[in-house]
């Protein structure tokens, strides 16, 4: 399935301009920031100019109506203001020499037009993520800044994704912008050793952006498809850019496999559908084929043991190859998770291994794994820990305990759809206990 531009996706009615502005800006802000950053060479300033374009839209659209291509309107407006700003600076001559012909053609007509090709700025998105992942920033700051700029996540959403306090994330983002500006970091995709030094953070960022789209940390919807599309597009571009890097292909494979399930993960009303209940005929077989090909490239280019993304892709491939839930090769998945735990030392991965063990060996040994994770600081407020524990208790016939765990999980999630699902499971566990 060819990736379509997200401009206009899920827009409110055109007679509600303010809602349209907010929706479009949420979808298009990464592209607007990336396009403007190419002009001003400052990601913090680019974000401010994108916000200026948002203010302009809030002023204009209620009177003039929503443009036919609202994303193009925002991009053109922000770039126009960026060019005006550069021209006003005393350093205009130096900036003009750096930017060259690109600056001379960047200024739009007086009125922003709808002529717009999303493919024209995909390279800008890639430059943005590599710039935000510069080694002068800490690993935490790189990921937080890129999720903010490229993923369009709020500070609160990033904090929930990291399981850290919101003020901590806010400080990371402010300091990261200041560092990039004061160090005059080039807005570019680096080459050679510089590219390799940033690759790990870039892969982590793309993965986190996809995850936020695949299972939103907050809001009324389980999915944010625009984020999945951007992450998948970036992973494909990176694979083309770095064809000899196995982990790049591993990440691309993982996202292809995960994206293939999107249409089956919710019902027509947006209610989440559990993996065992999904209609696998709705899984996108073309994306699965792309995932298989990318995983093959990861294996062909690897010179040692598979990396974390290649291992996750292999796990996803096991699910993709099973035409029914019952045919899933859970022993192999449990083994792969064991290898992944050894590589990552991640409590979240260990929780996933417990689920696989429960289906390969039964709920009792899996519950032992889960109970051993109870004291992990990273999982203290993680709703999936009590959710998994509730499922295991339910399978063991301990319905009252299961109901308590599902209710606790519902209280921890900020996603309304997940909360509804968990409360429903708690109610069902209670009904089973009363029977």
């Amino acid at each position: 399935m060819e990736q379509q531009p997200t401009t206009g996706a899920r827009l409110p009615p055109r007679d509600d301009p303010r809602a349209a502005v907010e929706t479009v800006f949420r979808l298009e802000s990464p592209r607007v920031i990336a396009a403007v950053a190419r002009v001003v060479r400052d990601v913090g300033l680019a974000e401010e100019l994108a916000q200026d374009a948002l203010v302009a839209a809030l002023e204009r659209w209620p009177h003039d109506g929503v443009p036919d291509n609202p994303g193009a309107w925002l991009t053109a407006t922000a770039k126009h203001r960026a060019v005006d700003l550069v021209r006003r600076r005393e350093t205009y001559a130096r900036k003009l020499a750096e930017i060259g012909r690109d600056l001379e053609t960047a200024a739009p007509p007086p009125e922003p037009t709808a002529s717009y090709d999303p493919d024209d700025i995909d390279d800008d998105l890639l430059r943005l993520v590599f710039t935000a992942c510069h080694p002068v920033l800490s690993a935490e700051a790189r990921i937080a800044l890129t999720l903010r700029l490229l993923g369009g996540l709020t500070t609160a959403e990033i904090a929930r994704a990291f399981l850290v306090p919101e003020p901590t994330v806010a400080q990371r983002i402010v300091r990261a912008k200041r560092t990039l500006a004061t160090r005059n970091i080039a807005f570019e995709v680096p080459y050679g050793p510089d590219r390799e030094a940033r690759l790990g953070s870039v892969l982590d960022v793309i993965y986190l952006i996809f995850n936020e789209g695949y299972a939103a940390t907050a809001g009324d919807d389980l999915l944010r498809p625009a984020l999945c599309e951007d992450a998948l597009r970036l992973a494909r571009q990176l694979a083309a850019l770095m064809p000899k890097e196995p982990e790049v292909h591993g990440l691309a494979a993982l996202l292809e496999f995960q994206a293939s399930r999107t249409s089956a993960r919710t019902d027509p009303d947006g209610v989440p559908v559990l993996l065992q209940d999904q209609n696998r005929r709705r899984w996108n077989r073309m994306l699965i084929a792309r995932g298989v090909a990318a995983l093959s490239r990861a294996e062909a280019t690897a010179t040692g043991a598979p990396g974390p993304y290649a291992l996750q892709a292999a796990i996803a491939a096991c699910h993709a190859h099973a035409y029914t839930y019952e045919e899933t090769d859970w022993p192999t998945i449990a083994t792969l998770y064991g290898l992944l735990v050894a590589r990552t030392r991640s409590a979240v991965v260990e929780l996933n291994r417990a689920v696989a063990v429960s289906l390969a060996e039964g709920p009792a040994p899996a519950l032992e794994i889960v109970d051993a994770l109870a004291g992990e600081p990273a999982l203290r407020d993680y709703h999936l820990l009590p959710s998994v524990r509730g499922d295991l208790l339910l399978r063991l016939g301990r319905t009252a305990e299961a109901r308590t765990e599902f209710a606790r999980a519902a209280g921890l999630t900020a996603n309304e759809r997940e909360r509804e699902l968990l409360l429903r499971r708690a109610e069902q566990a209670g009904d089973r206990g009363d029977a």
Side-chain angles (χ1 to χ4, degrees), residues 334-395:
T335 299
L336 289 169
Y337 268 123
L339 295 174
L340 188 58
V341 169
R343 288 296 301 269
T344 64
R345 304 297 178 187
S346 165
V348 173
V349 174
E350 179 72 346
L351 181 62
N352 289 332
R353 185 177 78 87
V355 174
V357 168
S358 76
L359 293 161
E361 304 175 22
L367 185 60
E368 293 180 9
I369 297 173
V370 172
D371 286 344
L373 294 171
E376 286 288 338
L379 300 181
R380 183 178 56 193
D381 297 321
Y382 190 50
H383 71 282
L384 290 182
L385 178 63
S387 174
V388 170
R389 192 169 189 275
D391 183 70
L392 297 176
L393 291 168
L394 190 63
R395 290 169 59 190

Side-chain angles (χ1 to χ4, degrees), residues 407-430:
R408 186 162 75 92
L412 289 174
T413 183
N415 185 281
E416 188 59 33
R417 292 296 188 178
E418 284 191 316
R419 181 183 294 111
E420 292 171 356
L421 174 63
L422 290 164
L423 290 174
R424 188 162 60 251
R425 297 204 71 191
E427 182 179 353
Q428 291 168 349

Side-chain angles (χ1 to χ4, degrees), residues 275-277 280 322-331 359:
L275 179 63
Q276 62 264 34
D277 299 324
R280 299 194 175 204
Y323 282 93
T324 66
Y325 184 75
E326 292 70 25
E327 294 175 13
T328 306
D329 187 355
W330 291 109
L359 293 161

Side-chain angles (χ1 to χ4, degrees), residues 138-388:
S138 68
E140 294 83 3
R142 296 175 206 172
I143 295 174
L145 179 61
T146 311
L147 288 172
R148 170 72 175 167
L149 297 178
L150 188 73
L153 275 66
T154 66
T155 303
E157 288 170 338
I158 299 170
R160 282 192 290 270
F162 279 125
L163 303 177
V164 296
E166 187 173 341
T168 300
V169 173
Q171 290 175 357
R172 288 176 185 172
I173 293 172
V174 170
R175 290 171 183 167
K177 290 178 185 177
R178 185 184 303 126
T179 299
L180 292 177
T182 56
R183 297 287 190 93
N184 289 321
I185 301 302
F187 184 68
E188 63 183 6
V189 177
Y191 296 90
D194 289 341
R195 181 185 295 171
E196 294 175 6
R198 300 190 215 177
L199 182 58
S201 288
V202 170
L203 295 179
D204 290 345
V205 164
I206 294 173
Y207 178 64
L208 285 171
I209 291 172
F210 183 90
N211 272 356
E212 180 60 28
Y214 194 72
T217 55
D220 296 331
D221 298 320
L222 178 69
L223 306 176
R224 294 175 61 185
L227 291 183
C228 291
E229 291 172 6
D230 277 341
L232 185 55
R233 181 162 45 246
L234 284 168
R236 290 172 178 171
Q237 288 178 320
L238 202 59
L241 191 67
M242 308 180 73
K244 296 182 180 180
E245 289 289 341
E247 275 292 81
V248 173
H249 295 300
L251 175 65
L254 173 61
L255 301 195
E256 299 282 6
F257 286 131
Q258 297 294 82
S260 71
R261 307 181 202 166
T262 300
S263 64
R265 294 188 65 239
T266 56
D267 69 12
D269 296 323
V271 176
V273 179
L274 297 175
L275 179 63
Q276 62 264 34
D277 299 324
Q278 288 177 16
N279 180 357
R280 299 194 175 204
R281 289 190 296 272
R282 298 187 64 194
W283 287 10
N284 189 315
R285 289 292 154 184
M286 193 185 81
L287 291 181
I288 290 174
R290 292 184 67 118
V292 170
L295 183 56
S296 296
R297 287 191 289 271
E299 294 169 347
T301 54
T303 56
Y309 288 114
L311 285 170
Q312 290 181 75
I315 292 169
C318 288
H319 289 293
H321 290 315
Y323 282 93
T324 66
Y325 184 75
E326 292 70 25
E327 294 175 13
T328 306
D329 187 355
W330 291 109
T332 295
I333 291 176
T335 299
L336 289 169
Y337 268 123
L339 295 174
L340 188 58
V341 169
R343 288 296 301 269
T344 64
R345 304 297 178 187
S346 165
V348 173
V349 174
E350 179 72 346
L351 181 62
N352 289 332
R353 185 177 78 87
V355 174
V357 168
S358 76
L359 293 161
E361 304 175 22
L367 185 60
E368 293 180 9
I369 297 173
V370 172
D371 286 344
L373 294 171
E376 286 288 338
L379 300 181
R380 183 178 56 193
D381 297 321
Y382 190 50
H383 71 282
L384 290 182
L385 178 63
S387 174
V388 170

Side-chain angles (χ1 to χ4, degrees), residues 54-108:
L54 170 64
V55 172
L58 288 170
E59 293 173 348
R60 296 281 298 277
W61 293 7
H63 301 288
D64 301 345
V66 179
D68 290 336
N69 196 328
W73 195 101
L74 288 170
T75 301
T77 299
K79 289 179 78 173
H80 194 184
R81 295 185 180 213
V83 171
D84 286 345
L85 178 63
V86 171
R87 284 174 174 162
R88 288 197 302 269
R89 290 177 173 176
E90 293 180 356
T91 56
Y92 171 67
R94 177 176 61 81
K95 288 289 184 181
L96 182 60
E98 291 175 359
I99 299 169
R101 183 175 300 176
D102 182 62
L103 174 62
E104 296 175 355
T105 60

Side-chain angles (χ1 to χ4, degrees), residues 30 33-34 37 43 124-133 149-150 187:
I33 293 169
V43 294
D124 289 338
L125 287 171
L126 205 54
R127 290 187 189 99
L128 180 60
V129 71
F130 268 101
T131 300
C133 290
L149 297 178
L150 188 73
F187 184 68

